[in-house]
Amino acid sequence: MRDLIKFVALFLSALAFASVAAVASAQASETLPGLTLLSEKSASKRAKGIEQLADSGHPSAATILNAMAEGDLYFRKRDNQLFIATGSGDAFVLTDPVSLDEVGTASGKELKKVRVNNKLRRLIRGFLGGLNLTHSDAKVRLEAASNLLKNPDPDQRTILMKALEKEGDDSVVRAMSLAIAAIDIRPEVPQEKRIAAVTTLGDSDASEVRALLTPLTGDAENDIEVRQAAIIALDAVEDRLVLYRAIGGVFQGISLGSVLLLAAIGLAITFGVMGVINMAHGEMVMIGAYVTFVIQEAFRSAAPEYFGLSLAVAVPAAFLASGMIGIGLERSVIRWLYGRPLETLLATWGVSLILQQAVRSIFGPTNREVGNPEWMSGAMELAGGVLLTYNRIWIIVFALAVLFGVWALIRFTSIGLEMRAVTQNRRMANAMGIRSARVDALTFGLGSGVAGMAGVALSQIDNVSPNLGQSYIIDSFMVVVFGGVGNLWGTLVGALSLGVVNKFLEPVSGAVLAKIIVLVAIILFIQRRPRGLFALKGRAVEN
Amino acid sequence: MKSGSSKLKRWAAAGLMTGALSFSSALASAQETIKVGILHSLSGTMAISETTLKDAMLMLIEDQNAKGGLLGKKLEAVVVDPASNWPLFAEKARELISKEQVSAVFGCWTSVSRKSVLPVFEELNSMLFYPVQYEGEESSRNVFYTGAAPNQQAIPAVEYLMSEDGGGATRFALLGTDYVYPRTTNKILRAFLNAKGISDADIMEEYTPFGHSDWQTIVSRVKAFASEGKKTAVVSTINGDANVPFYKELANQGVKAEDLPVVAFSVGEEELAGIDTGPLVGHLAAWNYFMSVETPENADFIKKWHAFIKDKKRVTNDPMEAHYIGFKMWVQAVEQAGTTDVDAVRQAMYGQKVKNLTGGVAVMNVNHHLSKPVLIGEVQADGQFETVWSTDGVVIGDAWSDFIPESAKLTADWTYPWVCGNCEKPKFAASY
Amino acid sequence: MLSLIDGKGRIFISAVLVVALGAVMLNAYTPTGSSFHVPDYMIGLIGKYLCYALLAISVDLVWGYAGILSLGHGAFFALGGYAMGMHLMREIGDRGVYGNPDLPDFMVFLNWQELPWYWNGFDSPLFAILMCMIVPGALAFGFGWFAFRSRVTGVYLSIITQAMTFALMLAFFRNDMGFGGNNGLTDFKDFLGFDLQAAGTRSALMLSSAAALIGGYLVCRWMTMSKYGRVLAAVRDQESRTRFLGYRPEGYKLVAFVVSAMIAGVAGALFVPQVGIINPGEFSPANSIEIIVWVALGGRGTLVGAALGAVAVNYLKTYLTGALPEIWLFALGGLFIAVTLFFPKGIVGEIGRFTNLIKRFLKPSLPSMEVRND
């Protein structure tokens, strides 16, 4: 095996040497205007280079600019020769930026990245917008047009008009007309055209519209009629936005609620059903998050192309890992403490300290990177810049699925029946031949496993660190108690209402005060309903 | 009771280990060593940041011992765990100074931990090296501040955002965790921005609780704030834990650095290590050190760090460099003074020079703050920062901000004739 | 008839006196190098432990004797601490870094123009000391009055006490509240004109803590031994039955809760000048849970056990964070588990059971007094 590696390394380095030599001898056949400026140290010179390159209209210009924006454009330290390079460490594959032919490899030490900053990125995006307007893919054209809407550039107007004539796709046509309108609202344009542009913009729900119209409504705008039109158009936009924002607010509330729900379901079982004051619940969540990390690492090294599936693997794995730890905990510690619920607090507090420190010792105290797979990144735009992010949508779906699964398990399966039996009357259940010890272990395992699954979801939005669990434990207890101990639906309603209330308070009172108000509200609510939202009735109520 | 007996065994083992440890430490102190205290949280909420600094200190001490120690003696690190508990910080500081008799202490991260140990250091006249950027407004005789003061971080960063290269921002959203550092920094920034002609209507200030993890509302509000026609930038003084969810939300809501750059003062390489930085390329941070800066000193430092921690993936960050500079200065000062006596070493500290890892030379000033370069870097896809702007030379750390009226009057100068951390006139001026 | 000070109490009080007075004597009258010398930092440390012990006793009063598992007692402790801290801040006067005689430093640099109204009066030490008890007592009264009247019990009560301390923590973190935000109150100079850093002041504070601990113990002991205490125990064991017998449990619980909060406030007030800082971290729910752990470890419902548990856990923490900084949490966590599994009645409870066994062996007719656990 080692010989093989050695051989491959030797072969590669020989190849690299040969090709570098070849490139060095064959100087770039052609240089484009502005290309040499890109390796300059001063940002303004590089900006000039970008401009010249874009103006040249050369077919490779778009590729070069794209590579530059992506950080794939390098120059060789030795001779300032530019390359598009991909790879890492010692093995960069070099591509000639003009001919786009592969011309060899180089080590990272020989190359230096062409620096881009935000200003240059914006510049490139503007030019790429112009260049990509006629791209064969409608998606690229749409992106190009919306980029132009973000940075309106009068020079691009003719190109836009031309592209608009040929355009067949409706959404692209809309985006292009908006981009043209964005150019036409400038003061240099005749009044009629400006008012028409303002109206076009006012009819749109694009998020950039407010930014474009607002300056026209102020004193800086000299043309009274344009100002009037702009004020009317902006009002219309704002009116529509109120609705979208309200929908966005509800979504955010439900999303926060679903996070609380996920964190709390497991506790609703171990604490709510079994009566164990489980201070180690947060650590079960944390373990789920670390399982996600481990599985993603495995995917990264073994099968990066299937990275999107990592979460699908992590969910059952986290369930099993946390569940097994939960069962182990129940068998070794908690089973001695039934009937002494307050002692479980002390013991599980100790367990929580140990688990935290164990994770800290194994994985280190710092955050671990858990990536969002493609299908959980980004957002769906509702309208007017109100976004529903995919990770939040999936977490809502996941939370409801987990809740439903747990409910179905308890309601319909035989083990669920046994769980309910043991909870309601342990001695009677024993007498009926149910092995209550086994049921206890499985119930605690289920609660812990569900907490582990919550950890998978939380790893997508929060830190994966030894402190992860601590930040959710208090909220989880609040949710379970608010909803009513021992009632899954209470947990659902409790979590969602706390989330929504919190999110509606937040813009008014600020995030800190919102949280305080919610806590005080819980305290007051418990005075009104001392057994939570959905109180259990009957004998089980008495301790 | 099988589990019981195995537990008993474990307890016996722990007991034995404790005994062995105390015995070995007794042996070590029998030989002449110079003790150095390390006061960083290894558990609790701050362990996430501070453990790295403990390791960095152990590395520096090991390195110094390999070079032959100090004054012909070996250095001995005394590590304690204040467990992110502020009263415990004070207790542990007292233990290090009184019981362990350490010559200097390197430690603390949060301002509150520093405030908590400060009276102890002053009472017992010991020496603390504090390696983290902070809000300023302090200069103690017994503390050397090796992190950045606001004028070494916040103000240059905002100046950059307002410059042409930085995007010419004229509207600012100041986001922070609700504690003293963000409040003070934002107060200084507001005064600075007002002085630059930016009205209060163009400044938005928003505070969140510690460990805030749901940023949906705030990010959408910032986006709305930014969509009113003026070039907007976000200045973030969000603290440690809350950053990962914040940046994840930024990425998912598609906030591009080109449109709405975020410059952060508490986000370094270590914090980024927990996030996929692909969608965050171009967001900014201001520090005195970036791991990506190419100098021979830095390359050497990173190599040693990787060898010490036995993990090539671990990053280095600004507070580590601060400890590096502070420790080197202390070593030089002890050598010059020929003793570890606190008063002698303190005198020798002034004007002490150490090469920065990022080039240039750091100098310890008489106000106990360093002169250091300021760098602004953009986040890269690999989790590193790329420097896009840096000061020409070094900037002198200013203990008392010029933008707070009560503080502008004050001077910190611990040499004759001032000998004062917060005076309007020299203490010994009358004798002149 | 049980006497106010029983055997356990005698041992406890004399132990506190011996340790406190002994430490002060040895600190003052032995040379620094001597092996009998108690260094200055030990005095502060003992003072801190004594404050924690007093806090633990206050929790034991409500948990052990009234069956109220308060997960928010840290709040009362912190409020007492803040009241004392505010006075100490006022005593700094114009010796702060900005030399402003009217405003504390943190207000100066955060642009406060004048002292908020609720800081009025804290210039007077007497007022501050009263407030150390009145503020926690008032909060406990308001909270308990509603909660007990609404018959909130069990875990519901525990969780809302936790919500209370959590909400207070968030509130005190806010800089707008005018309590110094996250940094809290610190940089104290002196108390009643005595320099806080002087060895004499330290010893005096430590001795006051010892006195407060003994006083707090006697108050709790007196309460629990009286007729009132018997009804309280009945409420703890069977609230409904006690109610049916014609007692009003809420009143009994409320008195215990308020007295307990006031004792916790005194503990906090004594704690602050000795450690030199009070900040919102003291409100954190984890701190309050830790107090419960001390009491459980020492032995719930024994008062002496609570104090012993507080000292034991905190001494272990002091020792382990220095000796085993990297792995001390394993040891502490393991200890908690082991105690629950093997000594369910806590240290003092187990000792009591052991002595009871011996007594029963010697005098088989003596009935055993045991505290029900549930």
Side-chain angles (χ1 to χ4, degrees):
Chain A
M1 188 63 198
R2 207 195 270 155
D3 284 333
L4 185 70
I5 294 171
K6 222 186 243 173
F7 173 75
V8 170
L10 210 68
F11 177 75
L12 280 179
S13 55
L15 200 72
F17 182 75
S19 46
V20 167
V23 173
S25 61
Q27 286 292 332
S29 46
E30 202 185 345
T31 53
L32 288 174
L35 207 52
T36 49
L37 287 174
L38 293 185
S39 54
E40 287 284 344
K41 205 173 158 82
S42 122
S44 56
K45 280 192 183 157
R46 275 178 284 151
K48 204 173 277 170
I50 292 170
E51 227 166 285
Q52 291 179 4
L53 195 61
D55 288 344
S56 73
H58 190 277
S60 309
T63 318
I64 299 174
L65 290 181
N66 221 344
M68 186 170 171
E70 298 288 321
D72 289 336
L73 194 66
Y74 289 80
F75 62 89
R76 195 153 56 199
K77 286 178 191 163
R78 165 156 57 91
D79 55 3
N80 280 0
Q81 180 85 20
L82 280 164
F83 296 101
I84 295 171
T86 48
S88 63
D90 285 344
F92 277 91
V93 178
L94 304 181
T95 310
D96 182 83
V98 183
S99 63
L100 302 184
D101 296 330
E102 245 179 58
V103 286
T105 60
S107 94
K109 284 191 189 115
E110 298 171 60
L111 299 172
K112 203 168 162 71
K113 196 181 266 183
V114 173
R115 280 184 177 184
V116 271
N117 60 21
N118 287 327
K119 190 184 150 209
L120 296 183
R121 254 182 233 115
R122 240 187 345 260
L123 201 63
I124 292 172
R125 197 172 63 182
F127 284 122
L128 279 181
L131 294 171
N132 283 339
L133 279 177
T134 49
H135 199 276
S136 57
D137 187 352
K139 253 192 193 158
V140 178
R141 294 201 301 275
L142 186 64
E143 204 196 323
S146 39
N147 277 342
L148 280 173
L149 177 61
K150 278 189 189 121
N151 316 23
D153 177 1
D155 298 343
Q156 308 272 4
R157 194 174 188 279
T158 27
I159 307 173
L160 261 171
M161 289 301 281
K162 257 190 232 161
L164 182 61
E165 275 166 31
K166 283 187 248 161
E167 186 57 59
D169 189 300
D170 273 351
S171 56
V172 184
V173 167
R174 242 174 290 141
M176 284 179 172
S177 329
L178 278 181
I180 293 171
I183 295 169
D184 284 351
I185 56 169
R186 283 171 310 123
E188 298 90 75
V189 180
Q191 191 196 51
E192 251 172 76
K193 250 183 159 179
R194 292 185 73 196
I195 293 179
V198 164
T199 323
T200 314
L201 288 176
D203 291 338
S204 161
D205 284 334
S207 52
E208 292 82 4
V209 167
R210 281 178 74 229
L212 291 164
L213 287 179
T214 312
L216 301 184
T217 59
D219 293 336
E221 176 57 51
N222 294 321
D223 191 324
I224 302 280
E225 281 177 45
V226 173
R227 203 198 296 177
Q228 289 292 349
I231 290 173
I232 293 169
L234 190 61
D235 273 352
V237 172
E238 299 277 5
D239 278 352
R240 290 198 303 271
L241 266 181
V242 171
L243 175 68
Y244 298 139
R245 288 214 177 122
I247 297 174
V250 173
F251 172 77
Q252 289 168 357
I254 292 177
S255 146
L256 175 62
S258 68
V259 170
L260 292 175
L261 174 63
L262 262 179
I265 298 176
L267 195 68
I269 299 169
T270 53
F271 170 56
V273 176
M274 300 183 73
V276 174
I277 303 184
N278 185 10
M279 297 310 294
H281 170 72
E283 278 58 46
M284 298 297 166
V285 176
M286 170 193 75
I287 287 168
Y290 273 93
V291 168
T292 318
F293 165 72
V294 170
I295 289 196
Q296 286 205 345
E297 283 298 289
F299 265 93
R300 278 200 188 102
S301 57
E305 63 275 22
Y306 296 116
F307 187 72
L309 294 177
S310 59
L311 288 188
V313 179
V315 168
F319 180 80
L320 287 179
S322 293
M324 294 313 280
I325 293 177
I327 290 178
L329 184 60
E330 201 276 341
R331 286 288 84 190
S332 58
V333 178
I334 290 168
R335 70 162 157 160
W336 307 108
L337 305 175
Y338 287 122
R340 293 191 277 145
L342 296 175
E343 261 91 344
T344 57
L345 173 122
L346 176 62
T348 50
W349 179 252
V351 171
S352 142
L353 293 183
I354 290 178
L355 286 177
Q356 269 180 58
Q357 190 60 33
V359 166
R360 202 174 275 131
S361 304
I362 298 169
F363 293 97
T366 51
N367 282 333
R368 287 299 174 160
E369 181 186 336
V370 171
N372 292 6
E374 200 62 34
W375 49 274
M376 273 191 98
S377 313
M380 170 173 111
E381 181 160 352
L382 193 62
V386 175
L387 295 171
L388 311 184
T389 47
Y390 288 124
N391 62 349
R392 299 277 177 181
I393 296 177
W394 281 114
I395 286 175
I396 295 175
V397 172
F398 183 64
L400 294 177
V402 169
L403 180 77
F404 181 76
V406 169
W407 173 75
L409 184 91
I410 293 181
R411 184 76 182 75
F412 295 118
T413 64
S414 60
I415 179 73
L417 187 67
E418 290 177 3
M419 279 178 194
R420 281 180 288 145
V422 171
T423 316
Q424 279 171 15
N425 194 329
R426 174 177 301 270
R427 287 165 72 183
M428 183 73 87
N430 278 337
M432 302 292 286
I434 294 172
R435 284 157 59 200
S436 63
R438 179 173 151 270
V439 173
D440 285 335
L442 286 179
T443 314
F444 200 83
L446 174 69
S448 306
V450 168
M453 294 204 290
V456 179
L458 293 184
S459 75
Q460 292 299 302
I461 51 170
D462 209 337
N463 294 287
V464 179
S465 78
N467 301 336
L468 172 72
Q470 288 294 303
S471 43
Y472 286 96
I473 181 82
I474 294 173
D475 286 339
S476 306
F477 270 107
M478 295 296 158
V479 166
V480 173
V481 162
F482 177 66
V485 174
N487 190 316
L488 277 183
W489 299 120
T491 307
L492 170 72
V493 177
L496 290 187
S497 44
L498 289 185
V500 172
V501 168
N502 201 327
K503 279 295 156 187
F504 270 89
L505 283 173
E506 210 174 281
V508 188
S509 62
V512 190
L513 215 51
K515 208 153 182 204
I516 297 175
I517 295 173
V518 167
L519 287 168
V520 173
I522 292 179
I523 296 178
L524 294 178
F525 182 84
I526 292 293
Q527 315 293 338
R528 296 285 309 157
R529 296 185 72 103
R531 306 239 158 241
L533 210 48
F534 293 91
L536 281 186
K537 295 186 179 72
R539 283 187 68 97
V541 173
E542 286 299 316
N543 296 342
Chain B
M1 292 301 273
K2 255 181 200 161
S3 64
S5 72
S6 75
K7 261 206 185 75
L8 272 179
K9 265 183 213 159
R10 219 179 306 154
W11 271 99
L16 275 179
M17 203 158 62
T18 327
L21 270 179
S22 49
F23 181 64
S24 65
S25 68
L27 262 187
S29 59
Q31 306 161 347
E32 273 285 296
T33 58
I34 295 176
K35 286 185 175 178
V36 178
I38 301 176
L39 186 64
H40 283 301
S41 300
L42 310 178
S43 57
T45 48
M46 291 314 295
I48 189 170
S49 306
E50 292 193 62
T51 310
T52 312
L53 291 185
K54 183 247 341 177
D55 289 329
M57 278 312 299
L58 290 179
M59 171 185 88
L60 291 168
I61 289 169
E62 187 184 288
D63 194 43
Q64 186 65 32
N65 280 336
K67 286 182 199 155
L70 187 56
L71 302 180
K73 299 175 190 167
K74 288 278 178 215
L75 290 175
E76 182 194 340
V78 184
V79 180
V80 292
D81 177 17
S84 314
N85 176 325
W86 319 132
L88 196 58
F89 259 95
E91 181 191 317
K92 288 285 138 189
R94 204 172 276 279
E95 181 182 320
L96 282 175
I97 302 165
S98 299
K99 190 173 153 207
E100 300 287 346
Q101 307 271 330
V102 297
S103 304
V105 176
F106 291 77
C108 298
W109 182 288
T110 57
S111 276
V112 52
S113 64
R114 190 191 67 251
K115 294 261 185 218
S116 167
V117 300
L118 194 75
V120 178
F121 278 88
E122 288 182 345
E123 178 194 336
L124 302 172
N125 191 24
S126 183
M127 199 181 268
L128 171 71
F129 286 82
Y130 175 67
V132 182
Q133 99 282 6
Y134 82 119
E135 66 274 7
E137 304 298 303
E138 190 181 297
S139 175
S140 164
R141 195 168 74 107
N142 299 85
V143 182
F144 286 97
Y145 306 82
T146 52
N151 73 315
Q152 289 173 306
Q153 206 186 11
I155 290 189
V158 171
E159 270 178 328
Y160 173 77
L161 287 175
M162 294 172 77
S163 73
E164 205 211 332
D165 271 352
T170 54
R171 198 170 159 89
F172 289 88
L174 312 178
L175 302 184
T177 304
D178 192 0
Y179 71 115
V180 176
Y181 169 66
R183 290 265 176 185
T184 318
T185 306
N186 288 343
K187 188 183 163 203
I188 293 171
L189 285 181
R190 189 180 278 270
F192 173 78
L193 290 171
N194 287 344
K196 290 273 175 180
I198 290 177
S199 73
D200 280 338
D202 285 330
I203 303 173
M204 160 184 174
E205 238 175 288
E206 186 80 41
Y207 295 96
T208 52
F210 279 87
H212 191 62
S213 60
D214 191 315
W215 289 92
Q216 301 178 83
T217 317
I218 289 172
V219 170
S220 2
R221 286 185 66 204
V222 168
K223 282 177 73 180
F225 177 77
S227 67
E228 282 169 22
K230 283 184 182 165
K231 185 70 197 146
T232 310
V234 177
V235 178
S236 150
T237 38
I238 296 164
N239 172 274
D241 265 7
N243 274 302
V244 170
F246 173 62
Y247 280 101
K248 282 188 175 171
E249 190 65 35
L250 279 183
N252 281 322
Q253 293 213 20
V255 174
K256 292 252 166 58
E258 300 100 282
D259 306 317
L260 183 57
V262 177
V263 61
F265 305 144
S266 310
V267 177
E269 289 83 352
E270 191 100 275
E271 285 74 19
L272 288 185
I275 330 174
D276 169 21
T277 52
L280 301 174
V281 170
H283 287 305
L284 303 139
W287 287 107
N288 307 118
Y289 169 86
F290 288 122
M291 186 182 181
S292 63
V293 174
E294 287 172 10
T295 62
E297 291 83 12
N298 195 20
D300 185 48
F301 183 71
I302 295 170
K303 211 174 99 190
K304 276 186 186 151
W305 172 242
H306 285 162
F308 180 83
I309 206 79
K310 298 185 186 71
D311 180 357
K312 287 240 170 221
K313 281 188 184 161
R314 287 294 291 274
V315 290
T316 55
N317 64 7
D318 181 275
M320 284 170 75
E321 192 219 18
H323 259 343
Y324 166 86
I325 294 173
F327 180 73
K328 284 216 144 186
M329 282 186 171
W330 177 74
V331 166
Q332 290 172 8
V334 169
E335 272 164 357
Q336 264 174 34
T339 164
T340 55
D341 176 78
V342 168
D343 291 313
V345 175
R346 183 186 305 119
Q347 283 311 312
M349 279 297 290
Y350 304 127
Q352 207 58 256
K353 291 188 174 75
V354 164
K355 264 191 166 179
N356 288 314
L357 295 177
T358 54
V361 177
V363 185
M364 179 53 75
N365 299 304
V366 290
N367 64 359
H368 285 209
H369 289 65
L370 286 174
S371 294
K372 292 207 281 190
V374 184
L375 313 173
I376 290 170
E378 283 188 358
V379 175
Q380 301 297 302
D382 58 358
Q384 290 288 327
F385 290 93
E386 185 152 307
T387 317
V388 289
W389 181 88
S390 59
T391 45
D392 292 330
V394 290
V395 179
I396 299 177
D398 194 359
W400 303 99
S401 172
D402 298 338
F403 292 95
I404 297 176
E406 292 82 3
S407 139
K409 307 183 282 205
L410 300 178
T411 300
D413 184 341
W414 287 102
T415 55
Y416 199 74
W418 281 85
V419 204
C420 184
N422 55 314
C423 291
E424 293 181 38
K425 54 183 189 300
K427 261 194 186 164
F428 294 94
S431 61
Y432 255 65
Chain C
M1 187 63 208
L2 287 153
S3 61
L4 185 59
I5 303 174
D6 60 352
K8 257 188 307 201
R10 265 196 298 276
I11 299 174
F12 171 68
I13 293 174
S14 22
V16 171
L17 285 174
V18 166
V19 168
L21 291 172
V24 171
M25 301 284 232
L26 291 176
N27 172 256
Y29 299 114
T30 53
T32 322
S34 151
S35 49
F36 291 107
H37 183 71
V38 173
D40 286 351
Y41 77 87
M42 273 306 278
I43 300 287
L45 217 52
I46 294 172
K48 195 172 125 173
Y49 295 158
L50 292 174
C51 292
Y52 283 145
L54 182 58
L55 174 60
I57 281 188
S58 79
V59 170
D60 198 22
L61 176 65
V62 288
W63 187 31
Y65 294 91
I68 306 165
L69 176 63
S70 166
L71 293 180
H73 245 60
F76 303 126
F77 179 77
L79 284 173
Y82 264 97
M84 178 55 91
M86 283 160 81
H87 170 66
L88 296 175
M89 283 312 267
R90 299 307 297 149
E91 245 193 79
I92 296 172
D94 62 359
R95 286 170 295 170
V97 290
Y98 300 105
N100 188 323
D102 299 323
L103 293 179
D105 287 340
F106 70 87
M107 290 193 183
V108 174
F109 74 78
L110 287 175
N111 259 2
W112 289 73
Q113 297 306 325
E114 55 180 35
L115 207 61
W117 60 267
Y118 43 80
W119 277 73
N120 287 333
F122 280 94
D123 292 312
S124 144
L126 191 68
F127 179 80
I129 290 170
L130 282 176
M131 280 298 149
C132 294
M133 294 190 268
I134 291 174
V135 173
L139 176 66
F141 182 80
F143 189 91
W145 196 68
F146 281 112
F148 300 141
R149 214 184 44 147
S150 312
R151 302 192 192 171
V152 182
T153 52
V155 288
Y156 291 91
L157 186 64
S158 305
I159 297 300
I160 62 169
T161 52
Q162 187 174 48
M164 174 190 76
T165 192
F166 192 44
L168 280 170
M169 178 181 82
L170 291 172
F172 274 75
F173 264 131
R174 300 180 68 229
N175 280 285
D176 294 341
M177 285 282 283
F179 292 110
N182 175 44
N183 281 5
L185 309 175
T186 176
D187 205 19
F188 308 131
K189 305 276 192 247
D190 44 31
F191 179 52
L192 301 174
F194 296 103
D195 183 3
L196 280 175
Q197 303 194 336
T201 321
R202 281 246 169 76
S203 300
L205 281 168
M206 191 267 270
L207 289 177
S208 325
S209 310
L213 176 60
I214 293 172
Y217 169 75
L218 290 177
V219 168
C220 294
R221 180 82 189 154
W222 175 69
M223 281 176 73
T224 53
M225 285 298 108
S226 63
K227 175 168 175 285
Y228 162 83
R230 295 314 189 85
V231 181
L232 197 64
V235 170
R236 173 195 64 198
D237 292 340
Q238 275 300 340
E239 184 166 341
S240 320
R241 279 185 214 172
T242 319
R243 197 189 300 279
F244 299 148
L245 286 174
Y247 293 100
R248 299 178 65 87
E250 51 268 28
Y252 285 88
K253 287 207 270 189
L254 190 57
V255 171
F257 198 56
V258 170
V259 169
S260 163
M262 288 165 82
I263 296 176
V266 171
L270 285 162
F271 174 81
V272 166
Q274 299 188 72
V275 300
I277 186 169
I278 176 75
N279 100 322
E282 296 300 327
F283 285 105
S284 87
N287 277 21
S288 294
I289 293 172
E290 252 201 68
I291 308 170
I292 298 296
V293 170
W294 303 340
V295 177
L297 186 98
R300 175 191 168 201
T302 58
L303 294 180
V304 173
L308 191 67
V311 174
V313 172
N314 281 293
Y315 174 72
L316 261 181
K317 242 180 158 175
T318 301
Y319 175 70
L320 291 173
T321 49
L324 306 166
E326 320 256 352
I327 54 168
W328 68 278
L329 278 177
F330 288 126
L332 202 64
L335 175 69
F336 294 160
I337 298 174
V339 165
T340 6
L341 288 183
F342 304 126
F343 308 107
K345 290 183 182 302
I347 304 170
V348 170
E350 293 297 324
I351 295 173
R353 199 166 68 167
F354 186 65
T355 46
N356 267 350
L357 270 178
I358 294 173
K359 274 184 198 158
R360 209 177 308 173
F361 180 71
L362 296 175
K363 264 192 246 167
S365 62
L366 197 81
S368 68
M369 287 290 302
E370 281 190 25
V371 173
R372 244 187 74 134
N373 266 305
D374 72 335

